[in-house]
Amino acid sequence: MADKKFYITTPIFYPNAKLHLGHAYTTTLSDILARYHRLMGEKTYFLTGSDENTQKMVEAARKEGKEPLVFLDEIVSKFSSLFKELDISYDQFIRTTDQKAHWPGAQKLWGKLADSGDIYKKGYEGLYCVGHEAFITEKDLVDGKCPDHGTVPEFLKEENYFFKLSKYTEPIKAKILSGELEICPQSRRNEILALLEEGLEDVSFSRPRKADWPQGLGVPVPGDNSQVMYVWCDALANYITALGYANEGDLYKTFWPANVQVLGKDILRFHAAIWPAMLISAGVPLPKALLVHGFITSGGKKMSKTLGNVIDPEELLAEYGTDAVRYFLARHISPFEDGDITREAFKDAYNADLANGLGNLVARIMKLAEDNLERGARPEPEEFPHEYTDALKKFEVNKAADVIWERIKLLDQQITDTAPFKVIKTNPEEGKELILALTQELYGIGRMLNPFMPTTSKIIKEAIVNNKKPGNLFVRKE
Ligand code: ME8
């Protein structure tokens, strides 16, 4: 088991604005999986980062009257402080303006595509949506505007390098059908297979270097400094550049191909069509699985600033704490569907599952243990229940959390049924046995909580193993 490896990635985030709860979701989901595999003793590498070579970011910076690269650093440092507060255990944060870590790998990959004869120059005339950082067509528009962003697309007429994506329709289909590239859930797999059925078109893979872009933004196309790579081309490359694809060093050799790449349903096409095509063209193995999650909605509507239903993860973190936010995202959102979050639902779950549920259970058992057991009781670690490990193997983190809360309920019932607080008075030995059994069960729950609520898990372990008082874990909110 010790030499088994696990490599997991999140999408890299656009640094044009602060991250919202949807971004926090992707990252927390990935973190839970990373922590689970570490707990299983696997050699784990967890990558996240920021997608910086974008027009969107330049426009956001200018709006605030800031130099793009200064603005960029400010926003990206907010990303890392949010991830710190969410207790995200990433091993590396890749920035695509990093000329040492990212550019050589991205340029090497471009070179491989060119060597395969898959890059050609062509005049392009068409529409570009800055919100999507993608080319769109007339038929995508509603009243002349992009329906997702409500903005009028730019009209472009320029010379670009194109990537022969069309050549890879059949090879990608074959990899998906054979299971070599697993796409989870099934509904997303069907969606991409339907798209492949229609056939893929070649994509523009570069843009002329913009006069208003500062030096240091945009990865230069090898051999043609007048062009920079199209942002999705360099962004997707991050998953291998970060491992040192440029020199194919130890990190790359150990961890690529990724075991799972986590992404939202909005960027399925990029990850299940363009990315595999690039890899096949370059002779690089494909990731083993894509985990495609839904959108976070609030009150049934997609979280958006215009609707005014955005929930700021910082606010929730300040009010409820890290582990409570992680808990809610893990248990109350299905990784395979859209999931709704309202402040009301959050508070109800907090009170029922954490304050009255887990918090109360820990307090009850630890009080009994403190009053009646000798110091240093140390239960043997138990095996994980297979419903828990099976769920996590299938990325069903919400179901794995259900298994834990099922145990919490049972253990609560066990205290009531066996009444150790009474037994201890009439038969101290038997009473102690009952309490010891409770602490052993609680220890098991604490271990299962490790990937979900790392701090709470540690507090429970310290309470049982080292008799450290757990304190009041979750205070009820009125
Ligand atoms: O797409 N609910 O970046 P991004 C759930 N830079 N997840 C959401 C969400 C929501 N409402 N909104 C965003 C990009 N996400 C590119 C990726 S990867 C090579 C480049 C999640 O900042 C979702 O997983 O717009 C989405 O894919 C990710 O955040 C990145 O969003």
Side-chain angles (χ1 to χ4, degrees):
M1 183 65 86
D3 53 5
K4 214 171 151 189
K5 70 90 184 167
F6 185 76
Y7 178 37
I8 181 166
T9 65
T10 72
I12 51 172
F13 302 98
Y14 285 134
N16 56 313
K18 271 175 43 171
L19 299 180
H20 60 60
L21 209 55
H23 304 115
Y25 179 71
T26 309
T27 317
T28 305
L29 174 64
S30 309
D31 187 62
I32 291 166
L33 295 171
R35 284 180 186 269
Y36 169 67
H37 285 269
R38 272 191 217 111
L39 189 64
M40 292 291 128
E42 294 169 27
K43 202 166 168 185
T44 298
Y45 202 76
F46 174 18
L47 178 73
T48 189
S50 49
D51 187 357
E52 307 191 345
N53 301 302
T54 69
Q55 185 62 22
K56 234 157 133 100
M57 185 281 292
V58 174
E59 289 180 8
R62 297 262 146 83
K63 219 181 239 169
E64 288 197 15
K66 290 186 174 154
E67 271 309 307
L69 296 182
V70 172
F71 174 84
L72 193 51
D73 284 349
E74 286 174 8
I75 295 265
V76 172
S77 83
K78 285 188 190 143
F79 287 9
S80 25
S81 56
L82 175 66
F83 289 173
K84 195 158 177 229
E85 274 182 73
L86 273 170
D87 219 347
I88 304 300
S89 63
Y90 60 80
D91 294 289
Q92 190 183 343
F93 188 104
I94 182 86
R95 299 185 55 177
T96 57
T97 51
D98 189 328
Q99 298 188 24
K100 273 210 190 100
H102 180 63
W103 290 19
Q107 289 174 325
K108 171 173 167 175
L109 186 60
W110 180 284
K112 295 277 179 192
L113 306 187
D115 290 349
S116 300
D118 290 339
I119 298 284
Y120 63 96
K121 206 164 190 181
K122 193 176 109 172
Y124 177 79
E125 224 181 273
L127 301 171
Y128 189 82
C129 171
V130 174
H132 278 121
E133 292 289 358
F135 297 95
I136 59 173
T137 60
E138 284 295 342
K139 69 175 186 343
D140 297 326
L141 306 181
V142 176
D143 297 332
K145 290 178 180 170
C146 163
D148 294 335
H149 296 96
T151 47
V152 178
E154 282 178 32
F155 176 75
L156 301 177
K157 189 174 176 188
E158 55 191 35
E159 280 277 291
N160 292 341
Y161 290 97
F162 271 67
F163 172 56
K164 278 192 196 159
L165 181 60
S166 57
K167 184 172 149 188
Y168 293 97
T169 305
E170 290 307 319
I172 297 169
K173 206 193 284 174
K175 302 256 186 202
I176 296 175
L177 289 173
S178 72
E180 195 181 328
L181 173 62
E182 188 194 336
I183 298 175
C184 234
Q186 193 74 22
S187 55
R188 300 290 165 213
R189 181 178 184 264
N190 294 342
E191 184 182 327
I192 203 72
L193 285 171
L195 191 91
L196 290 166
E197 219 37 65
E198 288 172 20
L200 300 170
E201 284 176 22
D202 292 354
V203 282
S204 164
F205 244 31
S206 76
R207 309 282 317 274
R209 172 177 286 290
K210 288 213 165 196
D212 68 339
W213 276 31
Q215 277 302 319
L217 197 65
V219 185
V221 166
D224 185 350
N225 255 327
S226 71
Q227 295 261 329
V228 294
M229 289 181 199
Y230 166 47
V231 60
W232 272 99
C233 165
D234 99 75
L236 288 163
N238 93 87
Y239 302 128
I240 56 174
T241 64
L243 296 179
Y245 168 66
N247 308 311
E248 303 197 16
D250 282 347
L251 210 52
Y252 177 75
K253 285 205 194 94
T254 308
F255 288 106
W256 191 259
N259 296 71
V260 58
Q261 302 204 253
V262 179
L263 51 128
K265 65 179 185 183
D266 51 335
I267 53 176
L268 173 65
R269 192 172 59 89
F270 294 97
H271 285 80
I274 301 181
W275 178 226
M278 290 166 75
L279 294 171
I280 299 171
S281 170
V284 174
L286 301 195
K288 293 184 200 296
L290 303 178
L291 166 56
V292 189
H293 65 76
F295 276 147
I296 303 277
T297 58
S298 185
K301 300 205 172 84
K302 183 172 190 268
M303 229 174 247
S304 97
K305 283 198 182 137
T306 350
L307 290 173
N309 63 347
V310 170
I311 298 182
D312 182 353
E314 304 275 2
E315 250 173 57
L316 283 183
L317 284 161
E319 194 173 344
Y320 291 94
T322 303
D323 278 4
V325 174
R326 292 176 62 101
Y327 165 77
F328 192 90
L329 295 176
R331 176 130 187 259
H332 290 273
I333 309 281
S334 155
F336 302 150
E337 286 155 35
D338 288 353
D340 203 58
I341 298 190
T342 58
R343 286 193 171 76
E344 263 315 293
F346 196 98
K347 190 169 95 180
D348 291 349
Y350 177 89
N351 283 335
D353 309 339
L354 298 180
N356 297 351
L358 177 62
N360 186 42
L361 179 76
V362 173
R364 281 177 93 186
I365 295 180
M366 291 324 295
K367 177 81 176 85
L368 284 168
E370 273 164 33
D371 292 349
N372 301 293
L373 295 187
E374 287 77 39
R375 307 285 88 184
R378 189 192 199 110
E380 289 299 311
E382 55 167 320
E383 290 296 307
F384 292 102
H386 68 84
E387 312 90 67
Y388 171 86
T389 48
D390 288 350
L392 284 163
K393 268 183 217 147
K394 290 188 277 178
F395 313 127
E396 293 174 335
V397 298
N398 56 336
K399 297 216 171 125
D402 285 345
V403 173
I404 307 177
W405 262 263
E406 193 55 40
R407 295 238 157 172
I408 289 172
K409 210 167 93 190
L410 285 175
L411 198 52
D412 232 3
Q413 192 58 43
Q414 190 176 326
I415 305 178
T416 312
D417 292 349
T418 59
F421 38 89
K422 280 190 199 148
V423 177
I424 198 89
K425 289 184 192 138
T426 54
N427 186 344
E429 278 320 302
E430 195 192 332
K432 277 186 195 176
E433 279 305 314
L434 291 174
I435 296 167
L436 194 64
L438 293 173
T439 62
Q440 275 164 341
E441 283 287 332
L442 183 63
Y443 186 80
I445 287 174
R447 271 184 19 108
M448 285 196 279
L449 280 172
N450 172 300
F452 295 86
M453 305 170 80
T455 305
T456 308
S457 165
K458 197 162 165 216
I459 290 173
I460 294 173
K461 184 176 175 191
E462 288 283 302
I464 295 172
V465 177
N466 295 325
N467 303 303
K468 264 201 182 161
K469 285 197 196 293
N472 201 348
L473 284 179
F474 302 99
V475 182
R476 228 193 116 74
K477 307 272 178 194
E478 293 314 323

